Amino acid sequence: MRALTLIPLAAALLTLPLSAAPAAAQTAGYDRGFFIRDAAGDFSLRIQPRFELRWTLGIEDEGGDETSTASQFSLTRGRLTLAGNAFGKDLTYEFELDVARGFFTLKDGFVEYAFEPDVRLRVGQYKRPFSRQQIISSSRLALVERSITDKLFPTGRDIGLMLHNGYERSPTFEWAFGVFNGMKPDGARLTADVVVDPDEGTGEIVKPSFSNTPRLMEPALVARLGFNHGGIKGYSEADLEGGPLRYAVAVSGLAMLDADDDDRGAVSGQLDWILKASGFSTTGGLYVTSRQEGEEFGQRALDAWGFHAQAGYVFADRYQPAVRYAYVERQDGEDWNHEAVVGMSVYWREHALKLQTDGGLAAYHDLDGDAVTDRTDFIVRSQLQVSF
């Protein structure tokens, strides 16, 4: 008789859920990307794809009758961002992949832990906190592409660790301090370095392999300090928010140490700003870098300096004309180039869906030994960006 009374109890136990959190409480949806998260919010994942389809017309004029013209469509960026939190809300992560070249490359890959809301540790691969122009996502630019200063000075991604206070959200006072693997002070980017493996017998190349890790760490020390006023979104160029005067200013310093004794250590500094008011926006930066001369790191000489400045105005909540001028100079004025660009953007869904067209010229005066090359490039670009 007792066995018969246990049967309904066992049946009831079998119907209980295996997890304390009912499946119905878990959520999924869309909020600046597709997301899923558990009921407690301890685990989440946001998926956001972005595509940039660009048409480019370029004309190179090397003086006289020597000109060349090229026109093409390109998938400039095909990004897939995976971001969220794990094991609670203090541990976050982000991975950004690029598929535009037909294969996967890692752009960002890091985890971050918040000891306090304004004290965070980030470890992995991401942008150095050096230049506002580079920190601003390529999806939030007022013109089709960044200026020539971004290619010369030590911006871009690197692998390392950083303490910061959430500077990308533009708090009143922002700060970041980091140490990274480091790259040579020639403006090189963190790209796949070709590592050649020669055959032990013949010395012939067997196959190239690729790595984003240098063979020897040459530490790059980076520091950034800034001030933000009026609740500005300091890392988005166009003033799509509107409102009264807002502005931000920051200074950064970067030292690439000479760990391999090749006498190529460098020290760079920059000052950047952004201002917004009632649809008008202006941003820019001043840059300078020094090179090592001699065996001692402190033996220095000016290597390059430059600046860029741009302005734009959003009207009818959708349209924005913008202009930019940039100049860089190397080797005591013997090597220089500048650019002037004017463009128009149409924002249908702010930066998530926009069409941008710009055009301009870039003039180069390159000194290579005793040879001097003067060249002027004319370029027209039109780009459709879709992010969802």
Side-chain angles (χ1 to χ4, degrees):
M1 189 69 176
R2 180 177 297 177
L4 293 176
T5 60
L6 293 177
I7 292 176
L9 177 61
L13 290 174
L14 290 174
T15 62
L16 291 176
L18 297 178
S19 173
Q26 298 186 4
T27 59
Y30 179 85
D31 180 15
R32 295 177 300 170
F34 302 97
F35 72 88
I36 55 175
R37 61 173 176 259
D38 70 337
D42 291 334
F43 293 87
S44 69
L45 170 65
R46 178 173 56 85
I47 304 173
Q48 186 174 41
R50 170 164 62 100
F51 299 94
E52 294 178 1
L53 178 62
R54 182 182 300 181
W55 172 77
T56 304
L57 171 65
I59 302 174
E60 292 186 3
D61 183 1
E62 298 184 1
D65 297 328
E66 297 183 13
T67 61
S68 60
T69 303
S71 176
Q72 65 176 358
F73 287 103
S74 62
L75 184 61
T76 310
R77 296 177 179 91
R79 302 286 174 86
L80 180 64
T81 301
L82 308 174
N85 63 284
F87 309 109
K89 297 181 180 179
D90 293 331
L91 183 66
T92 57
Y93 63 89
E94 181 173 325
F95 292 89
E96 184 176 70
L97 305 173
D98 195 331
V99 299
R101 293 173 177 84
F103 54 88
F104 283 95
T105 57
L106 178 67
K107 305 300 288 185
D108 291 319
F110 63 85
V111 294
E112 182 170 298
Y113 184 77
F115 299 98
E116 298 288 342
D118 56 353
V119 180
R120 299 168 177 267
L121 175 65
R122 181 178 298 181
V123 180
Q125 177 173 302
Y126 47 92
K127 295 177 180 180
R128 296 168 173 168
F130 181 72
S131 162
R132 184 182 303 272
Q133 181 181 209
Q134 175 62 211
I135 297 172
I136 292 175
S137 170
S138 56
S139 66
R140 296 178 176 273
L141 301 176
L143 291 165
V144 173
E145 198 53 83
R146 298 182 177 97
S147 78
I148 56 176
T149 55
D150 185 64
K151 297 177 175 62
L152 176 65
F153 297 95
T155 63
R157 290 173 167 88
D158 206 341
I159 300 175
L161 59 88
M162 173 178 66
L163 279 173
H164 68 99
N165 70 330
Y167 64 99
E168 294 150 314
R169 299 194 301 272
S170 301
T172 301
F173 294 98
E174 65 178 63
W175 57 266
F177 303 95
V179 56
F180 299 86
N181 274 338
M183 296 177 288
K184 296 297 184 182
D186 56 3
R189 312 305 255 226
L190 180 68
T191 55
D193 297 328
V194 178
V195 180
V196 178
D197 299 319
D199 182 87
E200 295 182 357
T202 65
E204 296 180 355
I205 295 175
V206 178
K207 63 177 182 179
S209 58
F210 300 92
S211 174
N212 61 356
T213 305
R215 295 185 176 183
L216 177 65
M217 178 181 179
E218 295 190 88
L221 309 179
V222 187
R224 180 174 178 83
L225 298 172
F227 174 75
N228 302 282
H229 172 75
I232 188 172
K233 292 184 177 180
Y235 294 99
S236 179
E237 288 188 342
D239 185 22
L240 296 172
E241 313 87 58
L245 176 67
R246 291 145 287 145
Y247 61 85
V249 61
V251 294
S252 304
L254 185 149
M256 291 184 178
L257 306 183
D258 184 27
D260 60 356
D261 295 325
D262 65 353
D263 304 334
R264 297 186 64 193
V267 175
S268 302
Q270 70 95 50
L271 165 69
D272 60 55
W273 71 88
I274 185 169
L275 181 148
K276 300 181 180 182
S278 303
F280 173 79
S281 63
T282 179
T283 184
L286 304 172
Y287 308 84
V288 63
T289 186
S290 66
R291 65 179 181 272
Q292 183 175 338
E293 285 196 341
E295 297 181 358
E296 300 296 328
F297 185 78
Q299 295 175 310
R300 320 214 57 77
L302 179 65
D303 182 57
W305 71 274
F307 71 91
H308 80 275
Q310 69 183 48
Y313 179 71
V314 176
F315 64 93
D317 297 325
R318 180 171 295 181
Y319 307 98
Q320 181 196 46
V323 296
R324 180 173 67 214
Y325 178 77
Y327 177 84
V328 296
E329 183 178 297
R330 299 172 294 273
Q331 301 185 37
D332 298 324
E334 297 294 333
D335 192 344
W336 55 264
N337 57 298
H338 65 91
E339 70 167 357
V341 181
V342 60
M344 171 66 78
S345 299
V346 181
Y347 302 94
W348 288 294
R349 291 292 185 273
E350 297 187 347
H351 289 292
L353 179 59
K354 65 181 179 181
L355 177 65
Q356 295 180 294
T357 301
D358 66 19
L361 62 86
Y364 300 87
H365 181 84
D366 296 329
L367 178 64
D368 185 6
D370 295 329
V372 176
T373 301
D374 287 301
R375 189 179 87 245
T376 302
D377 295 345
F378 300 89
I379 190 168
V380 177
R381 303 170 292 201
S382 188
Q383 178 173 282
L384 175 67
Q385 174 174 292
V386 181
S387 177
F388 52 89

